[in-house]
């Protein structure tokens, strides 16, 4: 994956960690399910996924390739334990 893109995704993860109180407020106002951890992870992964696509278009001037998406999936998979520990 492009190094600049990877840095942007990592920055979004750190932003999510820094803004966990805001995410908790969002969960509290929207969640009707008991598993708020899954809901929180969904919000954060959605933010990261959006960053991946937006920054791919901005930095690379194109949609990400299937290979880049697979690399993104592997990256997120490797970061999952960091994200699970937020809540």
């Amino acid at each position: 994956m492009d190094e600049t893109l990877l840095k942007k995704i990592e920055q979004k993860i750190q932003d999510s960690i820094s803004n966990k109180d805001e995410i908790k407020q969002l969960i509290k106002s929207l969640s009707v399910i008991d598993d708020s951890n899954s809901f929180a992870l969904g919000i954060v992964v959605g933010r990261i996924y959006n960053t991946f696509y937006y920054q791919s278009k901005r930095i690379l001037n194109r949609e990400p390739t299937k290979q880049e998406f697979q690399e993104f999936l592997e990256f997120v998979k490797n970061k999952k334990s960091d994200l699970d520990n937020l809540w």
Side-chain angles (χ1 to χ4, degrees), residues 2-77:
D2 179 84
E3 190 64 32
T4 304
L5 180 58
L6 191 59
K7 286 179 184 176
K8 292 289 186 182
I9 295 168
E10 184 68 46
Q11 180 181 3
K12 183 56 72 173
I13 290 172
Q14 294 306 316
D15 289 348
S16 295
I17 291 168
S18 296
N19 295 323
K20 68 182 178 181
D21 290 336
E22 291 176 359
I23 294 171
K24 285 180 183 180
Q25 287 178 330
L26 183 61
I27 292 165
K28 186 176 180 180
S29 68
L30 296 176
S31 182
V32 293
I33 57 176
D34 291 334
D35 190 4
S36 61
N37 288 341
S38 292
F39 192 56
L41 184 60
I43 291 170
V44 173
V45 168
R47 290 177 60 156
I48 296 166
Y49 177 79
N50 186 53
T51 297
F52 169 69
Y53 266 90
Y54 172 78
Q55 293 297 337
S56 291
K57 289 180 179 184
R58 190 179 75 72
I59 294 168
L60 304 174
N61 295 317
R62 62 175 170 75
E63 301 244 345
T65 64
K66 289 182 180 184
Q67 176 63 35
E68 288 166 333
F69 182 70
Q70 291 302 316
E71 292 171 5
F72 168 74
L73 289 177
E74 189 64 30
F75 177 80
V76 171
K77 182 179 170 183

